[in-house]
Amino acid sequence: MPTLTIRRPDDWHLHLRDGRMLCAVLPETARHFVRALVMPNLVPPVVTGAQARAYRRRILAALPKDMMFEPLMTLYLTETTDPDDMAAAFADGLIHAVKLYPAGATTNSASGVRDMARIRPVLERMARIGLPLCLHGEVTTPEVDIFDRERVFIDTVLAPLCRDLPELKVTLEHITTADGIAYVTEATGHIAGTITPHHLMLNRTHLLAGGIRPHYYCLPVAKRAEHQMALRRAAISSNPRFFLGTDSAPHTDAAKESSCGCAGCFTAPVALSCLAHVFEAHGALDRLEGFAARFGPAHYGLTPNLATITLERRDAPVTYPDTLETGVGPVTLFNPGHPLYWRVV
Ligand code: DOR
Ligand code: ZN
């Protein structure tokens, strides 16, 4: 049976939630990933160093005793973020990035940023101390079509930001467009982009043709096939500016299968199977390690993991349960709609 052994990966964009949901989903990530950059969009959001420290403790308390996992914490940037508190949390080694959600862009983003001018002093401080900024790269202007929100964000927010603060370390998260790939590829400065397994596997036709698929709905929403192909080319390119952030984002089935369903794909259990599938399809399995385990730590100033993980290619399709029970309701696992053959041994 063909096998592939790579350094153990990290996940540079993960939603772990809290309470019983946290307890249920955490092992799904810890089983395969050594570290993950943990998103701060709880209700209420993780805004202060003290809140990040308390959340980190809750994550470690939820970790099964026989598992190892290192949560890398982030702060949720608001227009009233205290730069001294933020800088102290970074100096302590507690936080590894600050997350900017444009207000209203996605799940629990109501406390996000409305006016970029108001966070300018915080961004200048981040640039000075080397604290990375993670971006949910979509404008929320109601007149901008939802399929154009990433492209318009790049033109109106990201490009001016990188021009004005070239020292700022920036991650354009969950890129979904060829425009995002082109910007990150060509920009000067300290910029990287994460790509999710589901955006490598889906385009908007999968979401909408033959019936609406709530479990394929996420933000930024999947775009045309040509954009999906641009993401695939970037992921397999060995360009160290592109690396894995799953954006695994669990919601209960009740919240997803609704007249106003939540955005998010729960991909953690199947992420590596999906990635191996995509990289194999492009004859690029030898490049999976860079994407999943080396380029992310390099961007965030950490060393790659020494431990390894082995995947094997089965003759018969690998099966996963349809749902994960969480204690607050079932959560459907991401299913690309075709067989997967790779699994973690
Ligand atoms: O699909 C998404 N789900 N996109 C986000 O930006 C947030 C996430 C969530 O928290 O559910
Ligand atoms: Zn996310």
Side-chain angles (χ1 to χ4, degrees):
M1 216 171 290
T3 63
L4 175 70
T5 298
I6 60 171
R7 285 176 191 260
R8 264 188 123 70
D10 302 306
D11 183 351
W12 296 98
H13 183 131
L14 176 66
H15 297 273
L16 283 174
R17 314 301 191 203
D18 215 340
R20 282 187 286 176
M21 182 71 93
L22 164 65
C23 292
V25 300
L26 178 59
E28 301 301 317
T29 286
R31 191 169 293 134
H32 298 159
F33 296 88
V34 175
R35 301 170 287 198
L37 194 64
V38 179
M39 290 299 115
N41 62 334
L42 304 181
V43 192
V46 180
V47 173
T48 65
Q51 288 169 328
R53 186 166 280 109
Y55 186 30
R56 183 171 186 276
R57 269 201 289 270
R58 296 199 297 280
I59 295 168
L60 291 176
L63 187 68
K65 293 286 164 284
D66 58 342
M67 288 185 134
M68 302 244 288
F69 175 70
E70 191 183 350
L72 306 174
M73 307 312 291
T74 60
L75 293 186
Y76 185 118
L77 183 56
T78 73
E79 292 181 2
T80 55
T81 287
D82 172 1
D84 292 332
D85 177 68
M86 174 192 78
F90 183 53
D92 283 353
L94 173 67
I95 62 162
H96 292 263
V98 169
K99 176 70 185 259
L100 189 164
Y101 288 101
T106 186
T107 313
N108 304 334
S109 61
S111 331
V113 173
R114 276 161 226 282
D115 179 1
M116 289 293 289
R118 300 196 61 183
I119 58 165
R120 186 56 182 255
V122 174
L123 296 178
E124 285 171 359
R125 180 77 167 269
M126 290 172 66
R128 249 195 337 273
I129 64 179
L131 172 52
L133 176 70
C134 292
L135 293 172
H136 182 105
E138 289 190 288
V139 294
T140 55
T141 331
E143 305 79 62
V144 177
D145 187 275
I146 192 159
F147 290 100
D148 296 331
R149 288 181 174 190
E150 183 172 292
R151 182 175 56 73
V152 174
F153 181 90
I154 292 165
D155 293 344
T156 61
V157 182
L158 179 57
L161 177 68
C162 292
R163 192 178 53 231
D164 295 352
L165 289 173
E167 270 81 60
L168 184 64
K169 224 188 228 194
V170 174
T171 311
L172 181 61
E173 301 202 279
H174 41 52
I175 299 177
T176 60
T177 59
D179 312 80
I181 297 298
Y183 185 81
V184 171
T185 304
E186 289 155 24
T188 56
H190 215 133
I191 186 160
T194 57
I195 301 176
T196 76
H198 50 286
H199 287 115
L200 291 173
M201 301 196 103
L202 300 179
N203 58 61
R204 65 191 196 178
T205 301
H206 298 109
L207 172 67
L208 295 169
I212 190 161
R213 318 279 162 154
H215 297 289
Y216 288 169
Y217 174 62
C218 63
L219 287 171
V221 70
K223 309 297 192 298
R224 287 177 176 276
E226 65 215 51
H227 292 287
Q228 180 196 6
M229 289 309 136
L231 304 183
R232 285 185 170 217
R233 282 194 296 275
I236 64 166
S237 68
S238 284
N239 179 340
R241 287 189 170 183
F242 297 106
F243 51 83
L244 172 64
T246 68
D247 198 10
S248 181
H251 293 278
T252 62
D253 286 354
K256 296 277 304 168
E257 298 169 7
S258 142
S259 62
C260 185
C262 293
C265 300
F266 178 51
T267 54
V270 299
L272 293 180
S273 286
C274 288
L275 283 179
H277 182 94
V278 169
F279 278 65
E280 181 185 45
H282 293 274
L285 279 171
D286 59 323
R287 310 204 192 139
L288 181 58
E289 181 183 79
F291 180 75
R294 285 193 288 113
F295 304 151
H299 179 72
Y300 284 99
L302 299 172
T303 49
N305 301 311
L306 286 176
T308 59
I309 193 167
T310 298
L311 294 102
E312 66 180 14
R313 193 191 196 288
R314 316 277 290 195
D315 291 333
V318 179
T319 55
Y320 290 98
D322 291 337
T323 59
L324 177 75
E325 287 303 327
T326 66
V328 287
V331 172
T332 290
L333 275 65
F334 178 71
N335 178 343
H338 55 70
L340 294 169
Y341 295 92
W342 288 91
R343 58 157 214 155
V344 175
V345 180

